PDB file of all heavy atoms in Angstrom:
ATOM      1  N   GLN A  46      87.196 117.342  29.988  1.00  0.00           N
ATOM      2  CA  GLN A  46      86.406 118.532  30.333  1.00  0.00           C
ATOM      3  C   GLN A  46      86.458 119.518  29.195  1.00  0.00           C
ATOM      4  O   GLN A  46      87.506 119.682  28.570  1.00  0.00           O
ATOM      5  CB  GLN A  46      86.979 119.177  31.614  1.00  0.00           C
ATOM      6  CG  GLN A  46      86.282 120.456  32.075  1.00  0.00           C
ATOM      7  CD  GLN A  46      86.858 121.005  33.357  1.00  0.00           C
ATOM      8  OE1 GLN A  46      86.974 120.235  34.343  1.00  0.00           O
ATOM      9  NE2 GLN A  46      87.227 122.278  33.391  1.00  0.00           N
ATOM     10  N   ASN A  48      85.723 123.570  28.156  1.00  0.00           N
ATOM     11  CA  ASN A  48      85.583 124.918  28.714  1.00  0.00           C
ATOM     12  C   ASN A  48      85.171 125.884  27.612  1.00  0.00           C
ATOM     13  O   ASN A  48      85.521 125.675  26.439  1.00  0.00           O
ATOM     14  CB  ASN A  48      86.910 125.384  29.324  1.00  0.00           C
ATOM     15  CG  ASN A  48      87.354 124.518  30.479  1.00  0.00           C
ATOM     16  OD1 ASN A  48      86.524 123.943  31.188  1.00  0.00           O
ATOM     17  ND2 ASN A  48      88.648 124.399  30.687  1.00  0.00           N
ATOM     18  N   SER A  50      84.708 130.231  27.086  1.00  0.00           N
ATOM     19  CA  SER A  50      84.703 131.584  27.674  1.00  0.00           C
ATOM     20  C   SER A  50      84.303 132.608  26.625  1.00  0.00           C
ATOM     21  O   SER A  50      84.569 132.442  25.433  1.00  0.00           O
ATOM     22  CB  SER A  50      86.094 131.923  28.249  1.00  0.00           C
ATOM     23  OG  SER A  50      87.071 132.098  27.224  1.00  0.00           O
ATOM     24  N   ARG A  59      93.615 136.560  28.746  1.00  0.00           N
ATOM     25  CA  ARG A  59      93.386 135.501  29.731  1.00  0.00           C
ATOM     26  C   ARG A  59      94.629 134.623  29.767  1.00  0.00           C
ATOM     27  O   ARG A  59      95.137 134.232  28.723  1.00  0.00           O
ATOM     28  CB  ARG A  59      92.152 134.672  29.355  1.00  0.00           C
ATOM     29  CG  ARG A  59      90.838 135.469  29.433  1.00  0.00           C
ATOM     30  CD  ARG A  59      89.665 134.646  28.986  1.00  0.00           C
ATOM     31  NE  ARG A  59      88.409 135.390  28.979  1.00  0.00           N
ATOM     32  CZ  ARG A  59      87.483 135.291  29.939  1.00  0.00           C
ATOM     33  NH1 ARG A  59      87.714 134.497  30.993  1.00  0.00           N
ATOM     34  NH2 ARG A  59      86.358 135.980  29.882  1.00  0.00           N
ATOM     35  N   GLY A  60      95.130 134.398  30.974  1.00  0.00           N
ATOM     36  CA  GLY A  60      96.353 133.598  31.111  1.00  0.00           C
ATOM     37  C   GLY A  60      97.513 134.497  31.477  1.00  0.00           C
ATOM     38  O   GLY A  60      97.313 135.671  31.801  1.00  0.00           O
ATOM     39  N   HIS A  62      98.104 130.678  31.905  1.00  0.00           N
ATOM     40  CA  HIS A  62      97.707 129.705  32.935  1.00  0.00           C
ATOM     41  C   HIS A  62      98.339 128.339  32.703  1.00  0.00           C
ATOM     42  O   HIS A  62      98.604 127.929  31.590  1.00  0.00           O
ATOM     43  CB  HIS A  62      96.195 129.478  32.897  1.00  0.00           C
ATOM     44  CG  HIS A  62      95.391 130.612  33.426  1.00  0.00           C
ATOM     45  ND1 HIS A  62      94.741 131.481  32.610  1.00  0.00           N
ATOM     46  CD2 HIS A  62      95.123 131.006  34.677  1.00  0.00           C
ATOM     47  CE1 HIS A  62      94.099 132.371  33.334  1.00  0.00           C
ATOM     48  NE2 HIS A  62      94.311 132.109  34.596  1.00  0.00           N
ATOM     49  N   GLN A  70      97.289 119.831  32.767  1.00  0.00           N
ATOM     50  CA  GLN A  70      96.321 119.649  31.681  1.00  0.00           C
ATOM     51  C   GLN A  70      96.976 119.833  30.309  1.00  0.00           C
ATOM     52  O   GLN A  70      97.742 120.772  30.122  1.00  0.00           O
ATOM     53  CB  GLN A  70      95.195 120.690  31.786  1.00  0.00           C
ATOM     54  CG  GLN A  70      94.364 120.648  33.038  1.00  0.00           C
ATOM     55  CD  GLN A  70      93.462 121.874  33.149  1.00  0.00           C
ATOM     56  OE1 GLN A  70      93.929 122.993  32.912  1.00  0.00           O
ATOM     57  NE2 GLN A  70      92.197 121.673  33.526  1.00  0.00           N
ATOM     58  N   LYS A  72      95.753 120.920  26.583  1.00  0.00           N
ATOM     59  CA  LYS A  72      94.615 121.730  26.145  1.00  0.00           C
ATOM     60  C   LYS A  72      94.519 121.745  24.631  1.00  0.00           C
ATOM     61  O   LYS A  72      95.535 121.766  23.934  1.00  0.00           O
ATOM     62  CB  LYS A  72      94.776 123.188  26.629  1.00  0.00           C
ATOM     63  CG  LYS A  72      94.824 123.339  28.136  1.00  0.00           C
ATOM     64  CD  LYS A  72      95.090 124.782  28.550  1.00  0.00           C
ATOM     65  CE  LYS A  72      95.232 124.870  30.064  1.00  0.00           C
ATOM     66  NZ  LYS A  72      95.646 126.216  30.504  1.00  0.00           N
ATOM     67  N   HIS A 119      99.591 128.692  28.987  1.00  0.00           N
ATOM     68  CA  HIS A 119      98.723 129.084  27.868  1.00  0.00           C
ATOM     69  C   HIS A 119      97.978 130.364  28.185  1.00  0.00           C
ATOM     70  O   HIS A 119      97.517 130.567  29.314  1.00  0.00           O
ATOM     71  CB  HIS A 119      97.713 127.971  27.565  1.00  0.00           C
ATOM     72  CG  HIS A 119      96.677 128.400  26.576  1.00  0.00           C
ATOM     73  ND1 HIS A 119      95.374 128.656  26.934  1.00  0.00           N
ATOM     74  CD2 HIS A 119      96.773 128.690  25.258  1.00  0.00           C
ATOM     75  CE1 HIS A 119      94.708 129.057  25.874  1.00  0.00           C
ATOM     76  NE2 HIS A 119      95.525 129.084  24.848  1.00  0.00           N
ATOM     77  N   GLY A 120      97.859 131.209  27.170  1.00  0.00           N
ATOM     78  CA  GLY A 120      97.055 132.421  27.314  1.00  0.00           C
ATOM     79  C   GLY A 120      96.676 132.956  25.947  1.00  0.00           C
ATOM     80  O   GLY A 120      97.180 132.465  24.924  1.00  0.00           O
ATOM     81  N   PHE A 121      95.771 133.909  25.932  1.00  0.00           N
ATOM     82  CA  PHE A 121      95.395 134.530  24.658  1.00  0.00           C
ATOM     83  C   PHE A 121      94.953 135.961  24.869  1.00  0.00           C
ATOM     84  O   PHE A 121      94.640 136.382  25.991  1.00  0.00           O
ATOM     85  CB  PHE A 121      94.296 133.726  23.936  1.00  0.00           C
ATOM     86  CG  PHE A 121      92.964 133.635  24.638  1.00  0.00           C
ATOM     87  CD1 PHE A 121      92.042 134.680  24.594  1.00  0.00           C
ATOM     88  CD2 PHE A 121      92.620 132.481  25.324  1.00  0.00           C
ATOM     89  CE1 PHE A 121      90.813 134.577  25.221  1.00  0.00           C
ATOM     90  CE2 PHE A 121      91.382 132.371  25.953  1.00  0.00           C
ATOM     91  CZ  PHE A 121      90.486 133.416  25.898  1.00  0.00           C
ATOM     92  N   TYR A 132      87.656 125.239  24.726  1.00  0.00           N
ATOM     93  CA  TYR A 132      88.824 124.358  24.763  1.00  0.00           C
ATOM     94  C   TYR A 132      88.592 123.130  25.629  1.00  0.00           C
ATOM     95  O   TYR A 132      87.848 123.173  26.604  1.00  0.00           O
ATOM     96  CB  TYR A 132      90.095 125.109  25.174  1.00  0.00           C
ATOM     97  CG  TYR A 132      90.020 125.907  26.421  1.00  0.00           C
ATOM     98  CD1 TYR A 132      90.691 125.497  27.560  1.00  0.00           C
ATOM     99  CD2 TYR A 132      89.299 127.087  26.480  1.00  0.00           C
ATOM    100  CE1 TYR A 132      90.645 126.240  28.713  1.00  0.00           C
ATOM    101  CE2 TYR A 132      89.230 127.835  27.631  1.00  0.00           C
ATOM    102  CZ  TYR A 132      89.911 127.403  28.737  1.00  0.00           C
ATOM    103  OH  TYR A 132      89.851 128.142  29.890  1.00  0.00           O
ATOM    104  N   VAL A 134      90.216 119.941  27.823  1.00  0.00           N
ATOM    105  CA  VAL A 134      91.379 119.709  28.696  1.00  0.00           C
ATOM    106  C   VAL A 134      91.412 118.244  29.144  1.00  0.00           C
ATOM    107  O   VAL A 134      90.372 117.582  29.207  1.00  0.00           O
ATOM    108  CB  VAL A 134      91.375 120.653  29.919  1.00  0.00           C
ATOM    109  CG1 VAL A 134      91.595 122.098  29.492  1.00  0.00           C
ATOM    110  CG2 VAL A 134      90.070 120.529  30.720  1.00  0.00           C
ATOM    111  N   TYR A 138      89.514 120.639  36.511  1.00  0.00           N
ATOM    112  CA  TYR A 138      89.884 121.903  37.169  1.00  0.00           C
ATOM    113  C   TYR A 138      90.229 121.637  38.632  1.00  0.00           C
ATOM    114  O   TYR A 138      89.506 120.934  39.329  1.00  0.00           O
ATOM    115  CB  TYR A 138      88.700 122.866  37.074  1.00  0.00           C
ATOM    116  CG  TYR A 138      88.887 124.187  37.777  1.00  0.00           C
ATOM    117  CD1 TYR A 138      89.965 125.014  37.475  1.00  0.00           C
ATOM    118  CD2 TYR A 138      87.955 124.626  38.729  1.00  0.00           C
ATOM    119  CE1 TYR A 138      90.123 126.239  38.102  1.00  0.00           C
ATOM    120  CE2 TYR A 138      88.114 125.847  39.364  1.00  0.00           C
ATOM    121  CZ  TYR A 138      89.201 126.652  39.045  1.00  0.00           C
ATOM    122  OH  TYR A 138      89.359 127.858  39.669  1.00  0.00           O
ATOM    123  N   ASP A 143      95.870 125.635  40.321  1.00  0.00           N
ATOM    124  CA  ASP A 143      95.801 126.663  39.284  1.00  0.00           C
ATOM    125  C   ASP A 143      97.015 127.577  39.442  1.00  0.00           C
ATOM    126  O   ASP A 143      97.210 128.183  40.493  1.00  0.00           O
ATOM    127  CB  ASP A 143      94.498 127.456  39.457  1.00  0.00           C
ATOM    128  CG  ASP A 143      94.112 128.181  38.184  1.00  0.00           C
ATOM    129  OD1 ASP A 143      94.696 127.870  37.124  1.00  0.00           O
ATOM    130  OD2 ASP A 143      93.251 129.072  38.262  1.00  0.00           O
ATOM    131  N   ASN A 167      92.592 139.821  34.091  1.00  0.00           N
ATOM    132  CA  ASN A 167      92.050 139.491  35.404  1.00  0.00           C
ATOM    133  C   ASN A 167      93.029 139.969  36.466  1.00  0.00           C
ATOM    134  O   ASN A 167      94.217 139.700  36.384  1.00  0.00           O
ATOM    135  CB  ASN A 167      91.882 137.960  35.456  1.00  0.00           C
ATOM    136  CG  ASN A 167      91.339 137.505  36.791  1.00  0.00           C
ATOM    137  OD1 ASN A 167      91.860 137.896  37.820  1.00  0.00           O
ATOM    138  ND2 ASN A 167      90.303 136.682  36.729  1.00  0.00           N
ATOM    139  N   ARG A 169      93.699 138.936  39.249  1.00  0.00           N
ATOM    140  CA  ARG A 169      94.457 137.833  39.864  1.00  0.00           C
ATOM    141  C   ARG A 169      95.668 137.497  39.009  1.00  0.00           C
ATOM    142  O   ARG A 169      96.761 137.257  39.494  1.00  0.00           O
ATOM    143  CB  ARG A 169      93.532 136.623  40.004  1.00  0.00           C
ATOM    144  CG  ARG A 169      94.150 135.429  40.695  1.00  0.00           C
ATOM    145  CD  ARG A 169      93.056 134.411  40.999  1.00  0.00           C
ATOM    146  NE  ARG A 169      92.350 134.034  39.774  1.00  0.00           N
ATOM    147  CZ  ARG A 169      92.761 133.011  39.021  1.00  0.00           C
ATOM    148  NH1 ARG A 169      93.822 132.338  39.346  1.00  0.00           N
ATOM    149  NH2 ARG A 169      92.094 132.677  37.945  1.00  0.00           N
ATOM    150  N   ASP A 170      95.463 137.503  37.696  1.00  0.00           N
ATOM    151  CA  ASP A 170      96.570 137.132  36.812  1.00  0.00           C
ATOM    152  C   ASP A 170      97.728 138.108  36.972  1.00  0.00           C
ATOM    153  O   ASP A 170      98.869 137.744  36.799  1.00  0.00           O
ATOM    154  CB  ASP A 170      96.089 137.156  35.352  1.00  0.00           C
ATOM    155  CG  ASP A 170      95.061 136.058  35.088  1.00  0.00           C
ATOM    156  OD1 ASP A 170      94.810 135.274  36.013  1.00  0.00           O
ATOM    157  OD2 ASP A 170      94.518 136.016  33.987  1.00  0.00           O
TER     158      ASP A 170
HETATM  159  C1  LIG B   1      89.573 127.357  34.307  1.00  0.00           C
HETATM  160  C2  LIG B   1      88.338 127.164  35.113  1.00  0.00           C
HETATM  161  C3  LIG B   1      87.768 128.196  35.826  1.00  0.00           C
HETATM  162  N1  LIG B   1      86.638 127.975  36.555  1.00  0.00           N
HETATM  163  C4  LIG B   1      86.038 129.108  37.279  1.00  0.00           C
HETATM  164  C5  LIG B   1      86.991 129.776  38.249  1.00  0.00           C
HETATM  165  C6  LIG B   1      86.624 131.227  38.208  1.00  0.00           C
HETATM  166  O1  LIG B   1      85.611 131.493  39.163  1.00  0.00           O
HETATM  167  C7  LIG B   1      86.031 131.430  36.823  1.00  0.00           C
HETATM  168  C8  LIG B   1      86.985 132.131  35.875  1.00  0.00           C
HETATM  169  O2  LIG B   1      88.219 131.416  35.927  1.00  0.00           O
HETATM  170  P1  LIG B   1      89.540 132.086  35.350  1.00  0.00           P
HETATM  171  O3  LIG B   1      89.563 133.547  35.734  1.00  0.00           O
HETATM  172  O4  LIG B   1      90.702 131.217  35.722  1.00  0.00           O
HETATM  173  O5  LIG B   1      89.276 131.952  33.788  1.00  0.00           O
HETATM  174  P2  LIG B   1      90.316 132.401  32.637  1.00  0.00           P
HETATM  175  O6  LIG B   1      91.077 133.616  33.045  1.00  0.00           O
HETATM  176  O7  LIG B   1      89.513 132.424  31.407  1.00  0.00           O
HETATM  177  O8  LIG B   1      91.377 131.222  32.596  1.00  0.00           O
HETATM  178  C9  LIG B   1      91.298 130.227  31.606  1.00  0.00           C
HETATM  179  O9  LIG B   1      91.792 130.761  30.407  1.00  0.00           O
HETATM  180  C10 LIG B   1      93.180 130.535  30.131  1.00  0.00           C
HETATM  181  C11 LIG B   1      93.489 131.051  28.761  1.00  0.00           C
HETATM  182  C12 LIG B   1      93.537 129.116  30.283  1.00  0.00           C
HETATM  183  O10 LIG B   1      94.291 128.522  29.505  1.00  0.00           O
HETATM  184  C13 LIG B   1      93.092 128.462  31.501  1.00  0.00           C
HETATM  185  O11 LIG B   1      92.854 127.072  31.233  1.00  0.00           O
HETATM  186  C14 LIG B   1      91.907 128.989  32.192  1.00  0.00           C
HETATM  187  O12 LIG B   1      92.342 129.214  33.500  1.00  0.00           O
HETATM  188  O13 LIG B   1      85.731 130.112  36.317  1.00  0.00           O
HETATM  189  C15 LIG B   1      86.031 126.739  36.628  1.00  0.00           C
HETATM  190  O14 LIG B   1      85.012 126.557  37.308  1.00  0.00           O
HETATM  191  N2  LIG B   1      86.597 125.693  35.938  1.00  0.00           N
HETATM  192  C16 LIG B   1      87.723 125.854  35.189  1.00  0.00           C
HETATM  193  O15 LIG B   1      88.189 124.867  34.556  1.00  0.00           O
END
Side-chain angles (χ1 to χ4, degrees):
Q46 178 178 308
N48 297 330
S50 69
R59 294 177 183 259
H62 287 103
Q70 299 169 315
K72 299 176 184 173
H119 171 253
F121 64 80
Y132 52 109
V134 293
Y138 177 56
D143 200 13
N167 179 310
R169 183 169 56 90
D170 293 356

